Amino acid sequence: MIVARTVAEFRAARAGAPAPVGFVPTMGYLHQGHLALVHAAREECATVAASIFVNPTQFGPNEDFERYPRDEERDLQLLEAAGTDLVLLPPVDEMYPPGDTTRVRVSGITEVLEGARRPGHFEGVTTVVSKLFAMVQPDRAYFGEKDGQQLRVIRRMTRDLLLPIEIVACPTVREPDGLAMSSRNVYLSADERAQALSLSAGLRAASEAFDRGERDAGRLRAMVREGIEAQPLTDINYVSLADSETLEELDGAVGRAAMLSLAVRFSGATLIDNVTLEP
Ligand code: AMP
């Protein structure tokens, strides 16, 4: 496994890599959710490239950029064991050269949900992913359904910029009790960790109700809300049931594919999760 810390080093290693090249961008502190993306890339691609970069432009001024968990040594061991060929691990000034003023912005679907909660977040995401795509030039890039809105934003950007990259979505990997794996789960206290089960439990209950024929958007959202509100350490930012493509909030009967998603704040972290509902 080649570990490149500069753009030039990465480009030199990439030059001889056999196609197709699969790419897994991450912010590190890897867990089984990230590794599922690497495994999917390994199955389908001759070369697997991954990046570890905690991207400052996607964090707001009062967010956790400084304290975001990091463990480079362990991450590299996990990537190597999973069969990664190339790792890009750049310092901030390689990704954002001094004087950098260029940003990539997708409008519309970036303005709701996580975009409303975190102004500027998606501009940071699309900017860094554009830079990473330009550097890695992958044939396929792997993203988790866990970040459902991000996946849709990246698909839109890739399509709009005519990038010849296939965006591959991988299912959310969960702890045995249902909690979606996240690098931010380490911020939870033991009590919060127990109460955080209400997120996935609510999504699952609503999804099961949907499969039994419940189609009312308001009632489906309410089912999720009630279970979470019963937990005193939670603070709901949003529970949304939106068109899976446009992310426009749905009312009345759900007649097309929809994303049921939520963001819930705990004392040290906000967790997000979602499921897709398909009639
Ligand atoms: P992050 O390091 O949080 O930026 O995530 C890097 C990639 O891993 C993104 O495509 C995420 O959607 C994906 N990912 C994170 N957590 C999970 C999970 N529990 N299951 C599947 N994919 C995930």
Side-chain angles (χ1 to χ4, degrees), residues 101-178:
T101 54
T102 301
R103 293 293 177 268
V104 175
R105 189 170 65 85
V106 173
S107 64
I109 59 167
T110 56
E111 282 144 38
V112 295
L113 308 177
E114 288 301 284
R117 178 172 85 79
R118 307 178 68 184
H121 169 67
F122 284 117
E123 186 175 297
V125 170
T126 47
T127 297
V128 81
V129 171
S130 301
K131 288 169 181 263
L132 291 167
F133 280 2
M135 219 182 304
V136 178
Q137 299 187 25
D139 299 288
R140 302 191 186 117
Y142 295 79
F143 289 85
E145 287 175 356
K146 157 78 170 35
D147 299 279
Q149 187 177 12
Q150 170 175 280
L151 170 65
R152 288 158 174 82
V153 170
I154 298 293
R155 276 196 199 288
R156 181 71 62 90
M157 177 191 84
T158 305
R159 192 201 67 172
D160 290 355
L161 294 180
L162 315 177
L163 302 176
I165 300 170
E166 183 191 342
I167 304 301
V168 182
C170 298
T172 302
V173 176
R174 299 178 178 281
E175 301 286 355
D177 63 7

Side-chain angles (χ1 to χ4, degrees), residues 15-198:
V21 175
F23 177 44
V24 179
T26 82
M27 298 206 299
Y29 212 68
L30 303 179
H31 51 64
Q32 291 302 322
H34 299 109
L35 296 176
L37 307 183
V38 176
H39 291 140
R42 187 70 282 167
E43 295 256 299
E44 300 173 356
C45 302
T47 300
V48 176
S51 61
I52 299 174
F53 181 62
V54 184
N55 173 37
T57 64
Q58 73 188 70
F59 288 78
N62 298 316
E63 293 184 0
D64 55 344
F65 173 68
E66 295 296 339
R67 69 184 179 107
Y68 193 82
R70 292 164 168 90
D71 190 342
E72 191 180 302
E73 203 176 313
R74 180 170 175 275
D75 287 350
L76 290 175
Q77 282 169 6
L78 290 169
L79 288 175
E80 180 147 44
T84 311
D85 301 302
L86 305 176
V87 182
L88 174 64
L89 216 158
V92 171
D93 61 3
E94 278 286 314
M95 294 305 292
Y96 295 96
D100 168 290
T101 54
T102 301
R103 293 293 177 268
V104 175
R105 189 170 65 85
V106 173
S107 64
I109 59 167
T110 56
E111 282 144 38
V112 295
L113 308 177
E114 288 301 284
R117 178 172 85 79
R118 307 178 68 184
H121 169 67
F122 284 117
E123 186 175 297
V125 170
T126 47
T127 297
V128 81
V129 171
S130 301
K131 288 169 181 263
L132 291 167
F133 280 2
M135 219 182 304
V136 178
Q137 299 187 25
D139 299 288
R140 302 191 186 117
Y142 295 79
F143 289 85
E145 287 175 356
K146 157 78 170 35
D147 299 279
Q149 187 177 12
Q150 170 175 280
L151 170 65
R152 288 158 174 82
V153 170
I154 298 293
R155 276 196 199 288
R156 181 71 62 90
M157 177 191 84
T158 305
R159 192 201 67 172
D160 290 355
L161 294 180
L162 315 177
L163 302 176
I165 300 170
E166 183 191 342
I167 304 301
V168 182
C170 298
T172 302
V173 176
R174 299 178 178 281
E175 301 286 355
D177 63 7
L179 181 72
M181 289 194 183
S182 165
S183 307
R184 289 192 168 99
N185 289 348
V186 295
Y187 294 144
L188 301 176
S189 69
D191 286 348
E192 289 175 328
R193 171 67 182 76
Q195 296 190 15
L197 268 193
S198 62

